[in-house]
Amino acid sequence: MRTTSFHSFPCHSISQRNVSALTPHTLAPKYREKRTTLIRATMEATQNDENALSQPQPQPQPQPQPQPISQPQTLSKNAQKKLLKQQRYEAKKAEKKAQEKRQKKEDAERKRKEWEETLASVTEEERAKLIESRRSLRKERMEKRSEEKEKKMERLNKAMQCGHKIVVDLDFAHLMTPSEIQSLVQQIMYCYAVNGRCINPCHLWLTGCEGEMGSQLKRLPGFDNWIIEKENRPYIEALQEQKENLVYLTADAETVLEELDPKKIYIVGGLVDRNRWKGITMKKAKEQGIQMAKLPIGNYLKMSSSQVLTVNQVIEILLKFIETKDWKVSFFQVIPQRKRPEADPEGCQEVAGEENEGKDDQLDGKKKCIEVPSQRKRPEADPEGCQEVEGEENEGKDDQLDRKKKCIEVPSHG
């Protein structure tokens, strides 16, 4: 009987059906073990192929697209000029601040040296008296300062209970540059200082104290101890229950503010924009459905430019009106001269006269100080030998006096 050789069936050509056909009757006993191994390997390979087909194929990862290089935004010539002007102003301001700091340091050093020289030039007994007198003056000054601080805190706490309410809207930080935000923070600091010095201070609110604006405010010395309302939310949310009493003060409003109602809450827009966002406060007030009003500046004086004032100027005008009940006096005491070159002569004559009286008194004092040297007595001399020399000296001094008088008398015509 002839047996079939195992080597006559290549592995790669034997399917599962053909392998199954290799029965023990067709294979010799010595090849049964190899047959079993071949069947097992073929079945495992088939199962692996089926599992591979049933599993989802991994998707190729998309290659990241290169980001287009953003070209720097070119500024117009006008914008470049404004930016250059602002940079020059900031550099000049920093230089001035550094110079003032150096001058302050030099003055302190000079006073210290003068004090040491004074102590060195007196006896031991007089030195002890001077030191004791200086200590007593310093103690008295500290006590007076402490007393003033207590009175200030008492006035501010009372204002929080029954004072006029003024809100500074700080929701415009996203429209300002870092330097403009810093300028607004300085104005808020001036507002708090002026309010604390007033006899009848108001109840100040700061709304929208978050983000960069909140960070800049927290850098102010003693800000956490300010007696003032600080609110991170916008005023429309913080004062929702009193919405009918909200009045937004904007120069674009048609209604003129005649009196300050203690029940009303007056809002001042905290925005330093160099007139880039014109009418934004009026638009905001209209969208929120609250009242609007403007200060009666046009009734008392003519502004050289627009009637837009800084935040501290608006609040100081309101504080002056609370104290004097007179818009005319409030405007002339707060608005700088460069913004009011022309004024109503009838409405503002009295205030201008008071200011001119003070200036005239100063001018008279200066004139007296200048004219005194011309009355000094000279030693007697030979009238014939010295007449020509004295005439030349008098002419020179008279010319100098005339020039000085002209320089002083010019402001009286303004």
Side-chain angles (χ1 to χ4, degrees):
M1 180 178 177
R2 184 180 178 182
T3 60
T4 304
S5 176
F6 178 79
H7 296 285
S8 63
F9 296 91
C11 294
H12 62 276
S13 62
I14 299 177
S15 63
Q16 185 176 3
R17 181 176 58 80
N18 296 330
V19 173
S20 311
L22 299 177
T23 61
H25 300 284
T26 59
L27 291 175
K30 63 179 180 180
Y31 295 112
R32 290 176 183 174
E33 185 178 356
K34 292 183 178 181
R35 170 184 168 277
T36 305
T37 305
L38 178 62
I39 294 173
R40 187 182 296 111
T42 304
M43 294 179 66
E44 289 178 358
T46 304
Q47 186 67 27
N48 291 338
D49 292 341
E50 292 177 356
N51 293 339
L53 291 174
S54 63
Q55 293 178 357
Q57 296 295 329
Q59 297 295 332
Q61 296 293 334
Q63 296 294 332
Q65 298 293 333
Q67 296 293 336
I69 300 175
S70 59
Q71 297 293 335
Q73 185 179 3
T74 57
L75 299 176
S76 62
K77 290 184 178 180
N78 192 18
Q80 291 178 1
K81 289 181 180 179
K82 288 184 178 180
L83 180 61
L84 183 60
K85 184 178 179 181
Q86 181 67 17
Q87 291 175 351
R88 289 176 179 174
Y89 169 76
E90 292 177 357
K92 187 177 180 180
K93 185 177 180 181
E95 183 181 358
K96 183 180 179 181
K97 186 176 181 180
Q99 184 178 0
E100 291 177 352
K101 188 176 181 180
R102 289 194 301 269
Q103 184 66 33
K104 186 177 180 180
K105 187 176 180 180
E106 291 176 359
D107 292 343
E109 184 67 20
R110 176 179 53 81
K111 291 180 180 179
R112 186 185 64 80
K113 289 182 179 180
E114 291 178 355
W115 172 251
E116 291 178 353
E117 291 175 358
T118 303
L119 293 179
S121 62
V122 297
T123 62
E124 188 70 23
E125 184 179 356
E126 293 176 348
R127 186 184 299 112
K129 291 182 179 180
L130 288 174
I131 295 174
E132 184 64 26
S133 175
R134 189 176 186 180
R135 288 177 179 174
S136 61
L137 288 175
R138 182 178 299 176
K139 183 179 179 181
E140 182 180 355
R141 185 168 60 249
M142 294 298 293
E143 291 177 353
K144 184 178 180 181
R145 187 179 302 175
S146 178
E147 183 180 356
E148 291 177 354
K149 186 177 180 180
E150 291 178 359
K151 291 181 179 179
K152 172 185 173 182
M153 295 178 65
E154 183 179 353
R155 293 195 303 268
L156 291 176
N157 287 322
K158 183 179 179 181
M160 295 184 71
Q161 302 296 330
C162 57
H164 289 76
K165 297 180 179 62
I166 301 178
V167 176
V168 181
D169 180 15
L170 303 179
D171 289 338
F172 302 103
H174 61 286
L175 303 178
M176 294 185 288
T177 63
S179 61
E180 290 171 345
I181 292 177
Q182 181 64 29
S183 177
L184 178 59
V185 170
Q186 293 291 327
Q187 293 180 25
I188 293 172
M189 184 175 63
Y190 297 152
C191 293
Y192 182 75
V194 172
N195 189 46
R197 291 194 298 265
C198 287
I199 300 176
N200 298 316
C202 65
H203 183 191
L204 278 179
W205 285 65
L206 299 179
T207 60
C209 303
E210 58 182 0
E212 181 64 20
M213 180 62 65
S215 301
Q216 293 290 340
L217 286 172
K218 291 179 180 178
R219 294 180 183 177
L220 293 176
F223 176 74
D224 295 334
N225 298 326
W226 283 13
I227 304 177
I228 193 173
E229 295 287 349
K230 308 162 193 173
E231 184 64 54
N232 293 333
R233 296 177 298 170
Y235 65 86
I236 197 66
E237 297 180 8
L239 302 171
Q240 181 65 32
E241 297 179 356
Q242 306 183 54
K243 184 178 179 180
E244 66 278 2
N245 293 327
L246 298 179
V247 180
Y248 212 117
L249 298 180
T250 171
D252 301 316
E254 297 180 358
T255 305
V256 179
L257 186 65
E258 298 294 343
E259 295 290 338
L260 292 181
D261 188 352
K263 298 181 181 179
K264 300 292 184 181
I265 302 175
Y266 298 96
I267 306 170
V268 180
L271 179 61
V272 179
D273 61 339
R274 318 296 179 191
N275 293 329
R276 293 195 312 271
W277 305 95
K278 295 183 179 180
I280 189 172
T281 52
M282 183 179 68
K283 181 180 178 181
K284 182 177 182 179
K286 284 184 177 180
E287 291 176 352
Q288 295 177 345
I290 61 177
Q291 305 175 50
M292 294 176 291
K294 65 179 178 180
L295 298 178
I297 299 177
N299 297 344
Y300 299 95
L301 55 88
K302 295 180 181 180
M303 301 284 285
S304 59
S305 57
S306 64
Q307 297 186 7
V308 179
L309 303 174
T310 61
V311 175
N312 58 296
Q313 288 173 350
V314 174
I315 292 182
E316 191 171 355
I317 288 172
L318 297 177
L319 291 172
K320 287 291 182 182
F321 180 77
I322 294 173
E323 180 182 351
T324 62
K325 304 299 181 183
D326 192 335
W327 287 116
K328 177 179 61 177
V329 175
S330 303
F331 292 144
F332 270 81
Q333 289 186 1
V334 177
I335 298 178
Q337 178 66 33
R338 66 179 184 276
K339 288 190 175 182
R340 48 180 179 88
E342 298 180 3
D344 184 8
E346 295 180 359
C348 305
Q349 186 175 5
E350 183 179 353
V351 177
E354 294 176 356
E355 293 181 353
N356 291 332
E357 285 180 4
K359 292 181 180 179
D360 293 341
D361 294 340
Q362 295 178 358
L363 294 177
D364 293 340
K366 291 182 179 179
K367 289 179 182 178
K368 290 179 181 179
C369 295
I370 294 171
E371 293 174 356
V372 167
S374 63
Q375 300 175 0
R376 290 183 302 176
K377 293 183 179 180
R378 296 182 178 85
E380 296 181 359
D382 184 8
E384 296 179 357
C386 302
Q387 185 175 3
E388 183 177 355
V389 177
E390 290 178 356
E392 293 175 356
E393 291 178 355
N394 291 334
E395 287 179 1
K397 291 181 178 180
D398 292 338
D399 294 339
Q400 293 177 0
L401 291 175
D402 291 338
R403 284 196 299 270
K404 291 180 180 179
K405 289 179 181 179
K406 289 179 181 178
C407 293
I408 295 172
E409 292 173 357
V410 167
S412 62
H413 300 290

